[in-house]
Amino acid sequence: MNQFSPLQKQSPLSGAEKSAILFLCLGEERGGQLMQQLDAREIRKITRAISAMGEVPAEVVEEVMREFGERMSSYGGITGSVEAARGLLKGFLPDERVAEILEEIEGSSTGDLWGDMSELDEKVLAGVLRKEHNQTVAVILSRIRAEAAAKVLPLLGEERAADLVERMVAMEELPHEVLRSIEESLRREVLAKAGRNAEAKTEKQLVSVFNKLDPKVFEGLSRELEKKIPEKFRTIKQKMFVFRDLIDIEVAPLAKVMREVSGKTLPLALRGADRDLREHFLSALPARSRDMLEEEMRGMGPVRSRDVKQAQSELVEAALRLSAGGEIELPTSDDEEMID
């Protein structure tokens, strides 16, 4: 059996050798479980070190374990940091694995930077990129989602876009420190500013949720919110658009809304509508279409409240969709009086 020679004992152990000793001390079961977390190349390096190691003198094992123990005990009160973790890991794992582990940890602690960048409006992102050097822009475009890059690239101009693509094609792996610098700059200067829109996004989400709530549920919730957050809730309510608001749409755009739905949606929605709102819908139809709709409503028999609310919700969504596309204009809920 091979033995560590005196020369080997005196020579500094490599990361793979220290890792090998650690795995041997852990034993087959625990060591095997930890080994599963490594990639094939790392497993080969450690396995090669274990195979070539032979019998390891007790003093060598004790030295490796003592080194680890000293690192832990010498701090007294300890301070955690990326660099502290790097120093500990490098004593027992190969450099490549240390870098990979820390990259994963740093990425998860700061969120999905490139995913967040991909979510930015392309005009906002283009405005940011115009101020950056082309090599930095190429790095950013190579890491955000493809659909986001495809939207922003034409906004940077044909000549610059060609240069950016050329740089992306020729790009080599960036040094870790350079990539980290770019990421930190983006978090500080771009996403921090974009985060100011978080409240507006939340407000938009609540408007959508409230629009879909059962009217009775919303009524009860409204009473509580008006007590607790009256100003904010009033702002949200002003941005809401519900089925009853369709009565304020002119006849021509209302006809467009009705053409957006199919099947039983329209007669179901009107079966649960107030008389004046129902008449407003009917007035937007030609005489023959109006008669057919009224006949269909009479022949429906009893209908479930849930189905009526779903049909009304589909009409509201159709109106919002047409408004977003600029095809119709929805009434505003602005309470301010206009002064000539």
Side-chain angles (χ1 to χ4, degrees):
M1 182 177 292
N2 294 331
Q3 296 273 344
F4 266 25
S5 69
L7 178 62
Q8 287 175 310
K9 287 193 288 184
Q10 293 175 4
S11 302
L13 295 175
S14 68
E17 289 171 332
K18 291 182 179 181
S19 299
I21 292 173
L22 179 61
F23 277 104
L24 289 170
C25 290
L26 288 171
E28 290 184 3
E29 183 177 350
R30 292 180 179 176
Q33 291 175 353
L34 182 58
M35 187 76 77
Q36 292 175 15
Q37 306 303 314
L38 307 178
D39 63 31
R41 182 174 57 82
E42 293 164 347
I43 292 173
R44 282 196 298 272
K45 288 179 68 174
I46 294 173
T47 301
R48 188 178 297 115
I50 292 174
S51 301
M53 191 169 290
E55 182 178 347
V56 182
E59 59 265 31
V60 176
V61 176
E62 289 173 0
E63 176 63 23
V64 171
M65 302 310 293
R66 184 188 62 78
E67 180 184 343
F68 178 75
E70 284 182 353
R71 288 172 181 267
M72 294 299 295
S73 62
S74 63
Y75 294 110
I78 63 172
T79 301
S81 70
V82 172
E83 290 308 314
R86 190 190 309 279
L88 287 172
L89 291 174
K90 286 181 74 171
F92 297 92
L93 293 174
D95 289 346
E96 297 87 350
R97 183 56 176 160
V98 173
E100 182 181 338
I101 290 172
L102 291 177
E103 185 173 350
E104 291 173 0
I105 292 172
E106 289 177 323
S108 64
S109 66
T110 52
D112 180 10
L113 170 67
W114 302 114
D116 292 341
M117 291 289 295
S118 301
E119 293 295 329
L120 290 177
D121 179 85
E122 60 267 24
K123 293 180 181 178
V124 173
L125 184 54
V128 171
L129 298 184
R130 288 191 186 99
K131 303 173 185 176
E132 298 290 343
H133 186 276
N134 276 8
Q135 189 61 33
T136 302
V137 177
V139 172
I140 295 170
L141 291 178
S142 69
R143 281 164 171 75
I144 62 175
R145 289 197 292 267
E147 58 268 25
K151 288 180 182 178
V152 77
L153 193 60
L155 301 180
L156 299 176
E158 186 174 331
E159 183 177 347
R160 191 175 188 190
D163 180 71
L164 290 170
V165 171
E166 184 179 354
R167 289 172 183 268
M168 291 168 70
V169 170
M171 188 178 299
E172 298 179 356
E173 185 175 353
L174 290 177
H176 183 76
E177 296 75 14
V178 173
L179 184 58
R180 277 282 171 261
S181 175
I182 293 173
E183 290 175 348
E184 288 305 319
S185 176
L186 290 173
R187 289 188 185 98
R188 183 175 59 253
E189 298 177 11
V190 181
L191 295 184
K193 295 177 183 178
R196 296 170 190 168
N197 295 325
E199 185 175 346
K201 290 182 179 179
T202 302
E203 198 173 82
K204 182 179 179 181
Q205 172 73 0
L206 286 173
V207 168
S208 179
V209 170
F210 289 162
N211 273 337
K212 297 178 185 296
L213 280 180
D214 181 285
K216 290 183 179 179
V217 174
F218 179 66
E219 185 179 344
L221 183 60
S222 295
R223 287 194 293 269
E224 292 299 315
L225 293 175
E226 284 167 354
K227 295 176 187 175
K228 296 180 178 179
I229 49 170
E231 293 298 326
K232 289 186 177 180
F233 184 57
R234 189 175 300 116
T235 300
I236 293 173
K237 281 184 68 177
Q238 288 174 349
K239 296 179 180 179
M240 289 177 62
F241 186 81
V242 296
F243 184 65
R244 177 69 193 176
D245 294 328
L246 290 170
I247 198 170
D248 296 321
I249 297 182
E250 297 293 333
V251 168
L254 183 59
K256 284 187 177 182
V257 173
M258 287 189 279
R259 288 195 292 270
E260 285 288 302
V261 298
S262 58
K264 301 287 185 181
T265 300
L266 184 56
L268 263 175
L270 296 184
R271 276 292 300 271
D274 294 334
R275 183 186 182 90
D276 57 342
L277 179 55
R278 187 186 307 135
E279 287 299 322
H280 183 58
F281 269 89
L282 293 172
S283 68
L285 296 172
R288 180 171 174 77
S289 298
R290 173 177 180 149
D291 292 342
M292 291 174 62
L293 179 57
E294 288 181 315
E295 183 178 349
E296 186 173 5
M297 290 167 60
R298 286 192 296 268
M300 292 183 75
V303 294
R304 293 184 298 184
S305 174
R306 181 179 61 186
D307 293 336
V308 169
K309 290 182 174 63
Q310 175 61 32
Q312 292 177 349
S313 177
E314 288 183 29
L315 278 163
V316 170
E317 290 173 1
L320 292 171
R321 188 165 58 250
L322 289 172
S323 174
E327 297 185 51
I328 67 171
E329 185 176 342
L330 296 181
T332 64
S333 55
D334 194 347
D335 295 331
E336 294 186 13
E337 183 178 347
M338 300 300 292
I339 301 175
D340 294 330

